[in-house]
Amino acid sequence: MLARLGAQALKHTPRVAVQTHARRAISVQSLLHGSPEAKQEGDVQIQQHSRLVARGKYVHGFEVHKVKPDSVQEYKKAAEAYYTAIKDDPELHVKLTGSWETVVGDQDVFYHILEYENYSGYDKTTQKIKNSEHLNAYRKLIPYLTSRNQQLCQEFAFFPTVPPRAEGGIFELRTYQLHPGTLLQWEHTWRKGIEARRKFVEPVGAWFSQVGRLHQVHHMWQYPDLQSRKELRERAWVLDGWSETVSKTAEFSMLMDSIILEPLPFSPLK
């Protein structure tokens, strides 16, 4: 009934009003999608942009575990047993980039970033784990969790992940929920901005989502402590072009998150 009434009302609406309504709808869609090109081409363009900006050799799996507050210590032991075993297994084509615990942000949350040799490496690794003793080790994690999430990401070509190191301190993981269609603009903006900021601090890595929550960008930084982070970020504002990078980042993003992490003892990156 409502559909018929709507159709009848539209039938008697002047053509000018219909055209105005259509233009208004297009305008809204343009804003939501970030650009007219993105609006017209949709996900096809997103995939084309992904090929342009990605360092295509690797896929990174972000595994996020929310742990019961009274089970954190037991979880850490189980996590060490599982992630250490799979990274040391020569039959598995996977590397553990790092494992961290959130100290500022949602509490009792743990991040594990795994590196696979592209999607074929991910397929082979996960299949082998399902048919090995590693599956039992993973199942020992489950009773300590309240939720778990996984996302597959690729690296930005200009921002490759650093190799294992032990510099100490804290890590900051920044996550941006981009407007669909703005990935290429985000990459172009940060490609210019990051060269200036490298004078003060080296990035750990940057990734954009491919499977899971889409249109997300992550980048990670390492600092001696929170005070050093504050001072280094303040010094960055004097760099030529950095304020433009920050301004455009806000323009391209719907949501922004910053969390502070501490590496677990078995993390290769710490």
Side-chain angles (χ1 to χ4, degrees):
M1 177 63 74
L2 290 175
R4 288 200 300 272
L5 290 173
Q8 291 172 0
L10 185 59
K11 181 178 180 181
H12 296 290
T13 301
R15 180 173 297 178
V16 173
V18 173
Q19 291 174 340
T20 301
H21 177 78
R23 285 197 299 270
R24 187 175 299 144
I26 291 173
S27 177
V28 170
Q29 288 299 314
S30 298
L31 289 172
L32 289 176
H33 287 75
S35 69
E37 292 81 6
K39 173 180 66 64
Q40 294 169 4
E41 299 179 20
D43 286 342
V44 173
Q45 189 187 43
I46 298 302
Q47 294 304 318
Q48 292 172 341
H49 288 179
S50 297
R51 288 193 292 270
L52 288 174
V53 303
R55 180 180 179 229
K57 187 176 181 181
Y58 301 106
V59 169
H60 284 79
F62 279 58
E63 298 186 2
V64 185
H65 294 164
K66 177 72 174 177
V67 178
K68 298 175 183 177
D70 60 354
S71 300
V72 167
Q73 295 307 316
E74 293 84 351
Y75 168 81
K76 288 181 179 180
K77 293 177 183 178
E80 181 172 5
Y82 171 70
Y83 287 105
T84 299
I86 64 170
K87 78 177 181 65
D88 292 339
D89 188 339
E91 296 296 320
L92 300 179
H93 300 283
V94 61
K95 296 178 181 178
L96 178 63
T97 298
S99 293
W100 297 269
E101 177 181 8
T102 301
V103 293
V104 180
D106 288 341
Q107 298 295 283
D108 309 313
V109 177
F110 293 79
Y111 286 78
H112 308 277
I113 301 180
L114 297 166
E115 181 182 276
Y116 304 93
E117 296 176 5
N118 221 312
Y119 288 103
S120 61
Y122 173 82
D123 290 336
K124 292 175 183 176
T125 299
T126 52
Q127 190 59 43
K128 286 183 177 180
I129 289 176
K130 290 178 181 178
N131 297 293
S132 72
E133 71 278 3
H134 299 306
L135 183 59
N136 293 328
Y138 184 78
R139 285 174 174 164
K140 292 180 179 179
L141 294 171
I142 304 302
Y144 307 127
L145 305 181
T146 61
S147 68
R148 51 184 172 147
N149 181 59
Q150 186 175 22
Q151 184 183 59
L152 296 182
C153 301
Q154 285 191 285
E155 296 171 294
F156 283 100
F158 75 96
F159 215 0
T161 309
V162 299
R165 67 188 190 189
E167 296 188 357
I170 60 171
F171 290 76
E172 180 182 16
L173 179 64
R174 299 183 69 90
T175 298
Y176 302 84
Q177 186 67 47
L178 301 183
H179 292 286
T182 61
L183 178 64
L184 192 59
Q185 295 99 311
W186 192 95
E187 187 271 352
H188 179 70
T189 298
W190 272 84
R191 181 186 288 273
K192 293 190 301 181
I194 205 63
E195 290 305 318
R197 196 173 178 190
R198 275 195 168 113
K199 297 176 181 178
F200 295 142
V201 58
E202 276 290 322
V204 172
W207 310 265
F208 61 94
S209 60
Q210 290 279 273
V211 182
R213 178 62 63 85
L214 299 178
H215 310 297
Q216 270 195 348
V217 170
H218 310 280
H219 54 82
M220 183 180 281
W221 305 81
Q222 188 172 11
Y223 301 96
D225 49 42
L226 282 171
Q227 181 62 31
S228 299
R229 171 187 175 274
K230 174 180 179 295
E231 294 171 357
L232 289 168
R233 287 177 61 83
E234 288 175 349
R235 291 171 62 189
W237 284 102
V238 304
L239 297 173
D240 184 39
W242 181 247
S243 60
E244 180 183 0
T245 298
V246 174
S247 175
K248 287 188 175 295
T249 297
E251 177 185 336
F252 300 147
S253 305
M254 293 184 286
L255 293 171
M256 295 183 279
D257 291 288
S258 169
I259 62 172
I260 302 300
L261 305 166
E262 284 185 354
L264 296 177
F266 62 89
S267 177
L269 189 56
K270 56 189 173 184

